[in-house]
Amino acid sequence: MLFFSCQDNYKRVGDEAQKQMYPRGVAHNFRLVRTKAQKDLDSEDSASSKVIAILTSSVGENYENLSFPHMTFPEGLQVDFFDDENRKSIIRADYGIVYSISNVIDLQGNVIIESHDGKKLETSQLYYDQDNEWIFTQEKFKYTNPEDGTVMDGEGMDFYKDLSLLKAHKTNGLMMIKEEADD
């Protein structure tokens, strides 16, 4: 009787060499409320806090056990955020990642921002820096401002969360100018 044995000396590269990542937990009908204290609190203070953002999603996957902790929202998410006067603006996307260490949210696929005053931004990907309340993208976008009839297309933009301060990189578009008639 003769037996032969083979050894797998093949070095894995590319996709087949990737380590499998499994979430620490999966939450359904996920809701995360981010609050901010109205004033600095002492250890025994019980002052109220203000809601500044609410993140909701049908599924949230927790990868906080990895070296770069994060949460993913593979079925999309919505972020409602509130300004100092408690006016609500909304961000929606098909997919999202919240990075815990940097407090940055990466939104991908049909990203839409609607501000409390009707302004609207549409793009394929953008990032929301929660600490600095700053949003930015390098992708193509469409920005609509119904107050002045502006429709702007472009590529690359960064702005404050309520769309009040915009810095567009490459733009083109249509702006309506109202003229007053002389009688």
Side-chain angles (χ1 to χ4, degrees), residues 129-146:
D129 180 344
Q130 296 180 86
D131 291 337
N132 297 311
E133 299 180 335
W134 198 251
I135 300 170
F136 53 97
T137 183
Q138 294 301 320
E139 302 298 321
K140 292 181 180 180
F141 67 86
K142 179 180 179 181
Y143 171 72
T144 308
N145 185 346

Side-chain angles (χ1 to χ4, degrees), residues 118-122 141-155 157 166 168 170-177:
K119 297 172 187 168
K120 185 176 184 179
L121 178 81
E122 301 169 76
F141 67 86
K142 179 180 179 181
Y143 171 72
T144 308
N145 185 346
E147 289 177 354
D148 58 12
T150 302
V151 177
M152 180 178 18
D153 295 308
E155 189 174 326
M157 172 186 270
L166 301 170
K170 298 177 187 175
T171 62
N172 60 60
L174 171 67
M175 179 180 252
M176 303 294 275
I177 300 173

